[in-house]
Structures are given as C-alpha cells and as structure tokens.
Amino acid sequence: MAINKPKGTEDLLGEDALTWVYVRDVAESVFTSYGFKYLEVPMFEQVDVFVHGLGTATDVVRKEMFSVYSPDGYAKISEGRADELKPDQRLALRPEATAGTVRAVVEHNLLEQGGAPVRLWYAGSMFRAERPQKGRLREFRQIGAECFGTADPAADAEVIIMFMRFIEQLQLPRESVRLLINSMGDDQCRPAYRESVAAYMREHKDELCEECQRRIETNPLRAFDCKNEACHKIMEDAPRITDALCDDCKAHYEQVKHYLDSQGIRYEEDPRLVRGLDYYTRTVFEVQVTDGLGAQNAIGGGGRYDKLVETIGGKPTPALGFASGFERIALALEAANAPLPVPAKPDVYVAVAGSEVSAASFDLVQKLRDNGFIVECDRQNRSLKSQFKLADKCEATTVLVLGPDELAQGVVTLRDMLTHDQKTIAFADVIQELEHVLGYDEDHDHECCCEDDDHECCCDHNEA
Ligand code: AMP
C-alpha cells in the first residue's frame, strides 16, 4: 500500500527546497539590518497560549487547530476523561508564531524595564486545519517578525518598510504588489465601533450568510473578510473605523502614514481591512499580489497588538509584528518570473576506474571538497563510459579519472567534457590545475605589479 503525505501538506523538493532556503536568507539579511534577532519557538504549545492569545472567537482557534496528545493524554481522551487533562497535556500545533513568541518573551523575561525594544524574527511551519486549495495549506511556512516595547508610530512604519524591503529584495515587481493599511483603533474607540458594526449587521441580518449572522454577536468585524458576495456588498456600506477612531488613535495613524510617506512607500488605505485575529490594535496592514495567486492573494500581513503581552501573562507592553506565507511568496515569485536559485552544478566529477583505486579516490574526493570544490562521485563501480554519462547528466564540465595506471604514476587524468580533451596532472598539482581550469584562480593568482617599479600599477588599491 502506498502511503501518501497528509492532505494539505507539501514535500519541499529540489528547487522548491532551495527557494525556501533562499527566501529565508533574504529575510535574514534584511531583518538583521533592522536589528531583528532570530528565534525558534516550539512547534506545539499549551493550547491556552493560542486560546488566550488569538481569542476564542477567531476561526483559527474555533475550527483550525490540530491537537497534540501524549499517549497518557490520548488515553484520557479516549476514555472520556478529557476534563482530567492537565494544562501541559492540552497541546496544539502552532497555527501561527506570534502567541508563542510572546509566551517566550514573557517566560524568559526578555523585556527589562526601561530596556531597549526587543526585536525578533522567525521562520518555520505553521499548522491550520483548513480546506486545502492553491495557496492555502494545512502545513505552511511563515516568516515573521515581532517588535516589543515601543508604541511609537515610527516602529509601525519601520516594520512595514522592513516587510516591503524584503519583498523588494526578492525582486517581486513593485507594480504587482499592493500594500494596504488601516487602523483598528484601541480599547477606547473600538468597542463602540464594533457595536455600531454589529447594529448595522443586525439591520441586514436576513441578507447575510449564516456565518456572518453568527459573527454579529461573536466577532462582527470579521464580516468584512467574508468571501460571500452578498455579505461583501452589504459590508461595503457598514460604518468605517476611520470615522470612529479616538483622537489618540487618529494621531497615531496619521504619524504612521507620515513616516511611510517620508520614505516614498506607496500604500492604499483600506478602512475595511480587519485582520483575522482578535489581538490587533491600531495599525494593521496586508501585502497582496495582483498576479498568480487568485483568491489567496495575501502574501503577508500584521499589525500592532498592544494588549497581547498582558493577555499572555506579561506586563503591559506595546508590540507589533507581521507574518508572511512562504508558499504564496514562492507562487508569486514564479508568476512574476523573478530570479530564483538554481541547484549548484558540480565543479568536478571524479570517475573511479576499478575497485583497487577506491581508497585513493576517496582521499582525492575528500581533498577536493576540503578545498571548496563541489564534487560528484559515483560509488557503484560502474564502467568509465557510464560514469562519463553520469557526469554529463549532472552537468559537470570537468572529470578527473583515477584508475590503476594513474595511481601507479601518481597522476589523474583531467577530461574536458565539452571538448573531450584529456591531460595528465600530478596529484600534487590537482588543486591548482582545477582552480585554473575552472577559472577560480583569476583573482587569487594575480601577481601585483606594484612590486615592479617599471610598471604602472593595475590594482584597485593604487587607484584611490
Ligand atoms: P495570518 O497568520 O493568518 O495573518 O497569515 C499571514 C500570512 O500567512 C498570510 O498573508 C499568508 O501569506 C500566509 N498564510 C496564512 N494561512 C495560510 C495557509 N493556510 N496556507 C498558506 N499560507 C497561509
């Protein structure tokens, strides 16, 4: 019986795996320049981290979390004794990493009083039991960043700009990317706004889908995100948060926009942008792509969550962050024909002619790799002809042949796979000769003519 991967998961193979490493590397280089430090939090946490962190009314907590049980915990569940599970037996695979990051920041007391903001970034798998479709998986990878300890609107702008620089560095064309921003208000102004949206929805209850009818009492702002055409139309005329912001939130939002403007960052204000999780306050943003993703066009989003650290047991701490979905970024890069990494070709293929040279070829391959060459070598005692075919297949342009005759003479045969020219090289000269053949010596071997009084120097250091 063939065993397949679980629904909604992907094996990252070949170029896809390289793309993941590449996108992470780009994130690392951009985020590091903004002072963000890498962290890893567990793939699973006590379920309370997500319940408190994300909120019980969110889709993620209500319908999308995968539970994790130890054998003991599982026994209690199957015997109908779920209420006996201790908190550390009630675990869930992380549906996102912000709540876990906050838990880690609180648990390790990273926020010293009066200390500098703590800036962290992460990359890894998240798990949501969703209906899989293009760009929507059950295991997907997110790259995200969180900044703790500052309410300054400059920090909001900085995080948004950092995200946009990341996208820029990935060479997604700017014209195919939309940055949407909004403010969701805070404790002072959001409750009244939420109520005004709920009241508006009650007036139109019969026209809303079942899910949105339920949302009226639990989470009315989520109705702005409903994909149902009728709900979408009704919510177009719902009260707008921008008309309901208190003075502090209005001033904060204006400042964020001012900082974005000052750096020439193009954005669109979308008063209907409400992020799916309960914890957001004030600034929220989303980055969408216009090509290649269909309905799942958000490649990332985030915002400020000034209440979350308290909710997870820390001291009141303003904070903000974002997460972006790797699989959607990869689809967008492909659709935009953006440059993607290609697998490295071997510098050299070592062909082994006969088992009596196994030990010597093992030494040779090791020596080449220790000197930085990418080396392929077949260890299946194939004929030379088949090894040349394999060398061609893996696109090695240079082959070193080692057989009993070569070994006896202390040489290897170097074969150019394009011209089929061959020459013999002494063991001692192999590294130097390969560097030469592959053009790696051009910079290193250049003898500086400034030592020679009669020459005009060609080196950069004399041009200064
Ligand atoms: P969220 O944590 O829901 O704010 O999502 C942040 C980003 O993660 C989204 O903009 C997507 O790019 C990505 N994302 C969220 N859910 C999924 C999923 N089920 N499959 C693939 N990517 C996702």
Side-chain angles (χ1 to χ4, degrees):
M1 186 188 65
I3 300 178
N4 299 323
K5 61 188 167 51
K7 189 165 120 184
T9 64
E10 269 179 1
D11 297 310
L12 280 191
L13 303 172
E15 289 170 19
D16 293 339
L18 278 182
T19 303
W20 167 233
V21 175
Y22 160 70
V23 172
R24 277 186 54 147
D25 285 353
V26 172
E28 177 171 29
S29 95
V30 176
F31 298 176
T32 303
S33 73
Y34 281 75
F36 283 72
K37 308 266 186 312
Y38 186 69
L39 98 156
E40 295 227 356
V41 289
M43 293 269 180
F44 58 89
E45 297 269 357
Q46 291 188 18
V47 86
D48 288 343
V49 170
F50 307 118
V51 170
H52 296 317
L54 280 59
T56 43
T58 54
D59 287 353
V60 170
V61 167
R62 282 183 46 247
K63 309 188 277 201
E64 295 173 358
M65 281 204 296
F66 283 102
S67 300
V68 176
Y69 296 113
S70 66
D72 278 358
Y74 188 72
K76 283 183 184 161
I77 295 281
S78 49
E79 288 159 17
R81 296 185 290 126
D83 53 335
E84 290 176 24
L85 289 173
K86 301 194 186 91
D88 69 356
Q89 288 182 309
R90 285 189 287 112
L91 305 168
L93 287 178
R94 60 183 189 191
E96 52 99 72
T98 302
T101 302
V102 173
R103 196 265 314 132
V105 165
V106 173
E107 187 169 336
H108 298 282
N109 207 10
L110 298 186
L111 288 158
E112 290 161 37
Q113 220 149 27
V118 172
R119 296 185 170 91
L120 301 167
W121 77 278
Y122 59 79
S125 287
M126 309 296 153
F127 307 87
R128 296 184 194 173
E130 304 196 80
R131 197 164 49 81
Q133 51 187 287
K134 186 177 175 189
R136 185 169 288 283
L137 294 154
R138 292 186 153 195
E139 182 190 12
F140 57 98
R141 289 157 187 82
Q142 280 189 338
I143 293 178
E146 319 288 350
C147 169
F148 299 91
T150 170
D152 190 337
D156 304 46
E158 226 168 51
V159 160
I160 295 173
I161 295 170
M162 180 170 93
F163 187 92
M164 296 312 286
R165 295 283 183 257
F166 167 53
I167 298 299
E168 246 170 64
Q169 291 293 312
L170 289 170
Q171 299 187 48
L172 263 183
R174 185 61 180 89
E175 61 279 7
S176 70
V177 176
R178 295 171 72 199
L179 166 62
L180 307 177
I181 64 165
N182 190 22
S183 171
M184 289 184 65
D186 65 3
D187 276 0
Q188 284 188 57
C189 51
R190 193 154 40 153
Y193 171 68
R194 203 180 130 110
E195 192 36 53
S196 70
V197 175
Y200 171 85
M201 288 169 69
R202 271 182 218 114
E203 281 169 27
H204 296 272
K205 190 167 178 184
D206 296 343
E207 301 153 74
L208 295 170
C209 73
E210 252 177 57
E211 181 78 24
C212 284
Q213 292 189 6
R214 200 186 41 73
R215 284 174 174 148
I216 296 178
E217 305 312 326
T218 57
N219 201 356
L221 303 188
R222 290 291 290 150
F224 284 113
D225 261 358
C226 186
K227 298 281 180 269
N228 182 300
E229 200 48 49
C231 299
H232 190 76
K233 246 186 153 140
I234 290 161
M235 296 311 288
E236 292 250 300
D237 295 325
R240 294 171 170 229
I241 179 78
T242 19
D243 301 327
L245 292 178
C246 61
D247 288 347
D248 288 349
C249 286
K250 212 177 277 172
H252 190 274
Y253 186 44
E254 288 307 317
Q255 281 292 309
V256 173
K257 288 190 286 178
H258 166 76
Y259 282 119
L260 293 177
D261 291 337
S262 75
Q263 299 304 309
I265 301 292
R266 265 184 293 131
Y267 56 84
E268 295 163 50
E269 290 181 71
D270 182 355
R272 287 181 192 80
L273 177 67
V274 290
R275 305 270 309 135
L277 309 176
D278 272 3
Y279 54 56
Y280 289 110
T281 48
R282 293 192 168 170
T283 315
V284 284
F285 69 97
E286 187 159 289
V287 178
Q288 302 179 346
V289 289
T290 45
D291 287 329
L293 283 181
Q296 312 302 329
N297 62 354
I299 54 168
R304 181 165 277 288
Y305 49 83
D306 289 345
K307 295 286 157 199
L308 184 60
V309 179
E310 261 171 281
T311 314
I312 296 189
K315 298 195 185 89
T317 308
L320 75 157
F322 67 81
S324 71
F326 161 71
E327 286 77 6
R328 292 192 199 171
I329 288 181
L331 287 170
L333 290 172
E334 209 181 295
N337 266 329
L340 288 173
V342 285
K345 291 177 190 154
D347 292 313
V348 56
Y349 187 100
V350 173
V352 186
S355 53
E356 52 285 41
V357 295
S358 287
S361 72
F362 190 86
D363 279 350
L364 174 65
V365 167
Q366 236 19 73
K367 180 172 157 184
L368 294 171
R369 289 181 179 147
D370 290 346
N371 278 276
F373 294 100
I374 304 173
V375 186
E376 284 280 345
C377 180
D378 171 59
R379 300 224 163 268
Q380 292 175 296
N381 292 323
R382 290 173 206 259
S383 69
L384 260 189
K385 199 171 154 200
S386 343
Q387 291 185 67
F388 288 153
K389 271 195 192 151
L390 283 177
D392 267 336
K393 203 167 159 201
C394 64
E395 298 182 59
T397 52
T398 304
V399 171
L400 292 180
V401 183
L402 184 62
D405 292 347
E406 279 95 353
L407 186 58
Q409 293 167 41
V411 297
V412 288
T413 302
L414 188 150
R415 179 180 169 93
D416 182 320
M417 293 302 282
L418 301 175
T419 60
H420 294 182
D421 288 346
Q422 299 201 156
K423 61 180 167 184
T424 304
I425 308 162
F427 271 173
D429 300 334
V430 166
I431 301 295
Q432 208 182 5
E433 186 61 27
L434 263 185
E435 279 177 350
H436 179 65
V437 167
L438 297 167
Y440 293 166
D441 58 348
E442 275 160 19
D443 292 332
H444 312 296
D445 265 12
H446 173 76
E447 272 190 26
C448 182
C449 52
C450 12
E451 305 288 331
D452 184 343
D453 289 343
D454 294 340
H455 271 77
E456 261 192 38
C457 183
C458 53
C459 298
D460 287 348
H461 59 86
N462 266 21
E463 280 168 13

